[in-house]
């Protein structure tokens, strides 16, 4: 199963507004920061957009997707494939797993080229377990059947606006 954001001719029951509402922001405001972000669907692509602020000890913005039938479909792959267009900033693809506590996730870091579509492929062994930016050396390796949520995060300690365009997310 591939997660895409454009109109689906073959499946009129899929509605873009419903997909857009599945995504929610978790920004540095939880720690006193003032960064902000959102997820929108524009021109058939998912857009993670916002602004990172370093004020008040902040410096990160993230979005997460409420789970549905997509996450269990990941067990059929060897990893994830992203089709993205970036702004030159460094991002994290984050996966929540039942193997870790709620404050932890598995991440892979990537820096998509500015204004250029590219397909990125990440195998499960490329993901590392982290908690608040710190690598968890004693965590188990990521098992695809434990994934229950995915999201994106920007925390490159650079203040300013950002935009990550996402055409698709699919099992590898």
């Amino acid at each position: 199963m591939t997660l895409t954001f454009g109109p689906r001719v073959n499946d009129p029951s899929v509605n873009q507004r419903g997909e857009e509402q599945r995504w929610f922001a978790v920004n540095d405001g939880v720690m006193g920061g003032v960064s902000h972000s959102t997820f929108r669907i524009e021109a058939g692509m998912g857009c993670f957009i916002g602004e990172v602020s370093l004020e008040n000890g902040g410096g990160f913005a993230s979005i997460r997707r409420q789970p549905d039938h997509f996450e269990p479909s990941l067990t059929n792959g060897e990893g994830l494939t992203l089709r993205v267009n970036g702004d030159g900033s460094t991002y994290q693809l984050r996966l929540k797993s039942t193997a870790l506590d709620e404050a932890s996730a598995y991440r892979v870091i990537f820096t998509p080229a500015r204004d250029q579509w590219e397909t990125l492929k990440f195998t499960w062994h490329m993901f590392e377990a982290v908690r608040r930016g710190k690598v968890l050396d004693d965590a188990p390796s990521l098992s695809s059947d434990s994934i229950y949520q995915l999201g994106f995060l920007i925390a490159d300690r650079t203040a300013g606006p950002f935009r990550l365009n996402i055409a698709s997310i699919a099992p590898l």
Side-chain angles (χ1 to χ4, degrees), residues 78-80 93 95 106-110 120-130 141-142 172:
E78 297 174 19
L80 282 172
L93 170 60
L95 302 173
Y106 289 93
R107 75 170 179 201
V108 65
I109 299 171
F110 63 99
L120 306 175
K121 298 179 180 187
F122 306 110
T123 60
W124 298 132
H125 79 272
M126 295 169 74
F127 287 81
E128 62 185 354
V130 293
S141 297
L142 175 60
L172 178 63

Side-chain angles (χ1 to χ4, degrees), residues 20 32 42 76 78 94 118 122 124 131 136 145 149 167:
E20 190 174 77
E42 299 175 355
N76 299 328
E78 297 174 19
R94 297 174 66 88
E118 52 188 328
F122 306 110
W124 298 132
R131 184 172 198 269
L136 302 173
D145 62 354
Q149 187 176 60

Side-chain angles (χ1 to χ4, degrees), residues 8 15 22 33 38 42 47 59 62 76 81-82 84 89 107-108 121 140 143 158:
R8 296 182 180 117
N15 104 34
R22 287 189 127 353
T38 191
E42 299 175 355
C47 305
S62 73
N76 299 328
T81 300
L82 299 179
V84 294
S89 298
R107 75 170 179 201
V108 65
K121 298 179 180 187
S143 173
T158 302

